[in-house]
Amino acid sequence: MSTPPPPSFPGYRPADGATAHTGPTAAAGTSGFPAPTGLPTVVTEPGGPGRRRGRGVWWGVGGALVASAVWAVTVLTVPSLVHRDTVTPAAPQTAGYRLVDDLCGTARLTSFGQLYPSPSGTPYHYTTRTRALDDMYCSQYRKKVGSDSAYYSIYLQVQLHKVTDPRPEFEAQRDGLDQRRYQITPVPGLGDEAYLGYLDDPGAGDKTWHYLTHVLYVRQGGMTCYTSWSGSYQEGKGAAPDREQVRLALMSDTRELLRALGGTV
């Protein structure tokens, strides 16, 4: 029996079928647009058009002076209107966590190794480095015994945010899990904030199948960590994995991993 990877968070996709809008078609004529009709007749004051134009110029100069004075007073009394875009938020601190080239090699997975001692396939990992974000990832499959057809997926991801504060996205991920009907449980004493999520998703065609997912999210300063376990079982064909046993293993191995990366959780 196999288990699909845990659900991912898709990005935006532009809507199809957008219609381009164009402006009105120009009418024939030297200007490209139809001549206006029905406009009121302008009556010129005595003294000719020169006098009228002069008054318009003085009104324009006076208006500009008034506008400049108002803006100067506004700048002095409400300086945030001018300077608010120049304020740069402080970069998040990575709380002593370090970057490693092989997250799978760093993650000992002591507890999960006792539950599922037989690896299945080759673990996959990557590490990326950018100015704003360092990202470490590991995924692997494990079995209770080598001949067992049932396997369990374990995913690990640690990100070091060096420019943007990850708190808003961290909270948004929790809200997203809640919308997907995960059971959310706060985890006190782990990082600055942490929470567990659990989902028992019955099969779409065969309701006797259950697809199970445990996730753990941790944030400490600019470090965010995501770990998960997923497995499946069929009613009447085998026992369901012990939920509490998996939860404790996930928390224990996550703490072990964060300490190995230089954390103090």
Side-chain angles (χ1 to χ4, degrees):
M1 63 185 71
S2 62
T3 303
S8 61
F9 296 94
Y12 276 105
R13 181 179 179 183
D16 295 330
T19 303
H21 296 279
T22 57
T25 304
T30 57
S31 64
F33 292 92
T37 59
L39 295 178
T41 302
V42 177
V43 180
T44 305
E45 295 183 359
R51 178 180 178 182
R52 186 178 181 88
R53 285 196 300 271
R55 178 178 297 180
V57 169
W58 283 112
W59 273 110
V61 172
L65 292 174
V66 171
S68 298
V70 171
W71 174 244
V73 172
T74 303
V75 169
L76 292 175
T77 57
V78 192
S80 62
L81 292 176
V82 178
H83 300 292
R84 64 183 177 184
D85 292 334
T86 63
V87 177
T88 302
Q93 301 298 314
T94 54
Y97 289 92
R98 63 187 179 89
L99 193 69
V100 297
D101 293 327
D102 184 355
L103 192 63
C104 291
T106 303
R108 297 178 58 190
L109 299 180
T110 301
S111 296
F112 277 130
Q114 294 174 354
L115 293 177
Y116 316 110
S118 180
S120 178
T122 302
Y124 171 75
H125 70 88
Y126 67 77
T127 295
T128 61
R129 299 167 174 82
T130 63
R131 181 186 66 85
L133 178 70
D134 292 336
D135 190 6
M136 297 168 279
Y137 176 85
C138 168
S139 63
Q140 55 184 280
Y141 302 95
R142 305 185 72 94
K143 298 179 179 182
K144 291 184 177 180
V145 294
S147 59
D148 197 349
S149 60
Y151 63 88
Y152 303 90
S153 307
I154 299 173
Y155 295 83
L156 314 167
Q157 185 172 28
V158 179
Q159 296 182 322
L160 304 180
H161 304 257
K162 298 179 288 185
V163 174
T164 305
D165 189 342
R167 283 179 295 182
E169 291 186 3
F170 189 83
E171 295 171 0
Q173 287 172 329
R174 177 174 52 201
D175 294 340
L177 291 177
D178 185 62
Q179 293 177 29
R180 292 162 60 194
R181 303 181 184 277
Y182 274 74
Q183 298 177 28
I184 308 298
T185 306
V187 181
L190 182 56
D192 294 331
E193 54 182 330
Y195 57 88
L196 284 159
Y198 172 75
L199 180 66
D200 182 346
D201 190 16
D206 187 348
K207 299 298 182 181
T208 64
W209 276 97
H210 294 259
Y211 298 92
L212 310 175
T213 305
H214 286 261
V215 296
L216 174 58
Y217 284 85
V218 183
R219 184 191 67 80
Q220 186 172 7
M223 184 281 301
T224 56
C225 175
Y226 162 75
T227 55
S228 76
W229 169 99
S230 62
S232 64
Y233 77 98
Q234 187 177 18
E235 297 176 8
K237 298 289 183 68
D242 189 300
R243 177 177 174 178
E244 182 65 10
Q245 193 178 53
V246 173
R247 184 187 72 86
L248 292 175
L250 184 64
M251 292 183 61
S252 176
D253 285 352
T254 298
R255 286 182 183 273
E256 182 182 60
L257 171 62
L258 293 179
R259 291 193 187 103
L261 294 174
T264 57
V265 296

